[in-house]
Amino acid sequence: MAENIALERIEKLLDEGSFVELGAYVSARITDFSVKNQSEPSDGVITGYGQIEGTPVFVYSQNRDVLNGTIGEMHARKIADLYDKAMRSGAPVIGLIDCGGFRLQESVDALESFSTVLSQQMACAGELLMVSGVFGVCAGGMTMVPALSDFTYMVKGADMFVNAPHAVTDDKQIALSYDAAAYQNEVSGQAEVLETEDEVIAKIRALVRMVEDEEYGSCDQAELNRYVASGCTANNADARALLRECADNFDFMEIRPAYYPEMVTGFLKLNGILVGAVGNAQALYDEKGEMVKKLPKGLTAGGCEKAAEFIAFCDRAEIPVLTVSAADGFAAVAETEKSLPKALARMMSAMADLGEAKVNLIIGDTYGSAFVAMNTKPIWSGSAMTFAWDGVKVGMMQAEKAANILFAKDEAKEKQAAAYEANQNSVWSAAAHGVVDNVIDPKDTRKHLIMAFSML
């Protein structure tokens, strides 16, 4: 009965009948202190391999019912060995985490083996997909495992923390009302939280299918040439709706949606080509297109950090990137002064390092240094292409503000502002200067993106 929950999770995750267990007869070697001299098959973690929609994957699943869910020497060694096998094959590794911490009776033996797990994870970075699912407890040093993974999903009600909340001494609010899932979902951004175990498992399966199963030219003629719905183009304050409309089968997989939602990150396919997307959002809309929440206007430090991490993953995984820009300057908040320059630098450096195709799409007014951060081709280096919707404004700043500076004493300031708008902020002016490669009709966006990624 003790192993059932760990095995059940694996069987739900993998294609039926595909799981092959490794190290089934490995057991703990300790007899010290309160641990009885007894055999514990699998030593609290089931490891092996199987398939997700035909894609080979390695998987391990922990069980807190075995030796109180603790990590010992052999437990950690089994996981490290799994990463080693995955490194040789290039198959993804999925960890289903439910762990009560380190086994005190094994002391440095447990710690040394666990350090091998972390070492193997770092060696696998960029070589294969690593995903963690947190189902129960993930505490102390074990939190480094999801942190070193590419993507982490967490069940609502699960616990993930470095120090137990009651041990936090400098923040009474955390000690009294800490909600691990909400904190990791919205504040730290370390995990995306879903309601149930089944939802977490379904999301991991969907992610593997999205990232690992790529087939260029998979769309039929009707799907290839379909227009973007006119209703979605009106809501250009949120890139999510557009990305869904542009994606094959309307399937846009957003990554960490609750973490700095003003910066949108996620995956879509364009005629079978896997693309990472980074976009701006000034508001959230429901499925009916009605605004449900306003977001910070302009780029934020947290949003740029989020984008930098995602772009870095795309670079490691050799995935091209699409940016969808409507960056109207910088958010006027205290965090901007404290952290934004460094966050911007990280985001732009990540994009400059990206060796894959890069396509820009400007769907909303974008001004000043925010335009540079989201769109400038020289900073990006390599192959790049920039499209802009007809009617958007691209320039140094809003015409009214520019006129107040340039023509402060001019009685015809409004007329001067109109002239500045036409000459400096028009998308056609940007195209005339070679900053924009092509001005397109919004309804043709999907077709232009498919052609661009096919050619770059």
Side-chain angles (χ1 to χ4, degrees):
M1 181 66 181
E3 288 189 39
N4 283 350
I5 190 168
L7 185 58
E8 285 174 5
R9 288 167 179 162
I10 290 176
E11 290 176 342
K12 286 181 180 180
L13 176 70
L14 301 180
D15 297 344
E16 184 176 358
S18 70
F19 178 59
V20 177
E21 187 173 356
L22 301 172
Y25 302 104
V26 171
S27 60
R29 300 195 300 160
I30 56 169
T31 58
D32 294 341
F33 300 104
S34 61
V35 177
K36 297 178 181 179
N37 186 10
Q38 59 184 350
S39 175
E40 290 289 356
S42 299
D43 198 25
V45 61
I46 298 177
T47 60
Y49 58 88
Q51 295 183 341
I52 292 178
E53 298 288 333
T55 298
V57 298
F58 287 91
V59 61
Y60 65 89
S61 181
Q62 295 174 310
N63 191 335
R64 292 194 69 207
D65 291 333
V66 176
L67 294 174
N68 297 317
T70 53
I71 302 173
E73 175 193 3
M74 302 308 292
H75 180 123
R77 186 179 293 181
K78 287 178 66 177
I79 297 174
D81 185 59
L82 200 72
Y83 278 103
D84 182 63
K85 288 180 170 61
M87 186 71 164
R88 297 173 191 275
S89 70
V93 176
I94 301 167
L96 308 182
I97 297 172
D98 191 353
C99 171
F102 293 106
R103 199 169 298 158
L104 298 179
Q105 297 89 342
E106 297 193 30
S107 189
V108 294
D109 291 331
L111 292 173
E112 183 180 33
S113 290
F114 181 69
S115 71
T116 305
V117 174
L118 303 181
S119 177
Q120 292 283 40
Q121 278 193 278
M122 289 183 275
C124 290
E127 302 297 325
L128 51 89
L129 177 67
M130 295 182 286
V131 185
S132 292
V134 180
F135 292 89
V137 175
C138 179
M142 190 64 191
T143 57
M144 289 186 282
V145 172
L148 285 169
S149 299
D150 297 309
F151 303 100
T152 298
Y153 300 98
M154 184 175 176
V155 178
K156 186 177 182 180
D159 285 319
M160 182 159 62
F161 48 78
V162 176
N163 293 302
H166 67 267
V168 176
T169 59
D170 64 341
D171 192 325
K172 292 182 179 179
Q173 186 63 31
I174 286 182
L176 292 173
S177 61
Y178 180 77
D179 182 334
Y183 190 89
Q184 302 298 347
N185 191 33
E186 301 169 14
V187 181
S188 77
Q190 186 163 314
E192 180 180 334
V193 174
L194 296 146
E195 290 287 332
T196 66
E197 288 198 7
D198 287 347
E199 288 183 57
V200 168
I201 288 170
K203 194 64 177 282
I204 294 173
R205 284 181 61 88
L207 178 70
V208 171
R209 288 197 303 268
M210 175 69 77
V211 175
E212 296 292 318
D213 183 17
E214 186 173 5
E215 182 182 356
Y216 174 63
S218 59
C219 295
D220 60 30
Q221 201 66 24
E223 174 73 0
L224 191 64
N225 293 314
R226 67 174 164 81
Y227 291 129
V228 169
S230 58
C232 128
T233 63
N235 292 336
N236 58 18
D238 185 359
R240 294 170 179 84
L242 175 69
L243 291 167
R244 284 194 295 269
E245 285 285 334
C246 289
D248 293 352
N249 302 312
F250 303 94
D251 184 13
F252 171 61
M253 175 176 281
E254 188 170 1
I255 300 298
R256 299 195 293 177
Y259 182 62
Y260 290 97
E262 65 271 14
M263 184 67 79
V264 183
T265 56
F267 297 110
L268 69 157
K269 289 181 180 175
L270 295 167
N271 196 22
I273 302 172
L274 176 64
V275 174
V278 176
N280 304 131
Q282 296 179 9
L284 292 174
Y285 292 85
D286 61 20
E287 294 180 355
K288 297 180 181 179
E290 297 178 357
M291 184 187 297
V292 295
K293 183 181 180 181
K294 286 187 176 181
L295 300 173
K297 190 176 182 181
L299 297 180
T300 64
C304 291
E305 291 282 7
K306 174 183 175 180
E309 289 180 20
F310 180 76
I311 295 166
F313 168 79
C314 291
D315 183 38
R316 295 193 302 270
E318 299 181 342
I319 299 171
V321 170
L322 164 70
T323 56
V324 181
S325 179
D328 187 2
F330 302 137
V333 295
E335 185 189 31
T336 295
E337 304 306 319
K338 178 182 178 181
S339 308
L340 185 62
K342 287 185 177 180
L344 279 171
R346 292 189 187 100
M347 182 176 73
M348 290 188 289
S349 294
M351 188 61 82
D353 290 341
L354 181 70
E356 304 305 306
K358 308 157 192 178
V359 175
N360 318 269
L361 173 65
I362 305 174
I363 66 169
D365 298 347
T366 178
Y367 297 104
S369 298
F371 165 79
V372 174
M374 291 295 296
N375 293 289
T376 301
K377 290 186 287 184
I379 288 179
W380 288 20
S381 72
S383 299
M385 192 174 295
T386 298
F387 299 110
W389 280 356
D390 188 6
V392 302
K393 299 171 185 176
V394 180
M396 181 65 70
M397 67 173 61
Q398 293 92 332
E400 295 79 5
K401 293 181 180 178
N404 285 334
I405 296 171
L406 295 175
F407 313 108
K409 298 180 180 180
D410 194 328
E411 294 181 358
K413 190 162 50 178
E414 291 185 7
K415 184 177 180 181
Q416 297 285 19
Y420 187 92
E421 182 85 355
N423 295 329
Q424 298 293 338
N425 287 349
S426 166
V427 67
W428 295 103
S429 176
H433 287 268
V435 175
V436 170
D437 292 306
N438 198 2
V439 180
I440 65 173
D441 188 323
K443 66 182 176 59
D444 293 326
T445 300
R446 172 173 159 81
K447 292 189 288 185
H448 280 286
L449 294 179
I450 288 174
M451 288 187 286
F453 281 108
S454 298
M455 296 301 295
L456 291 177

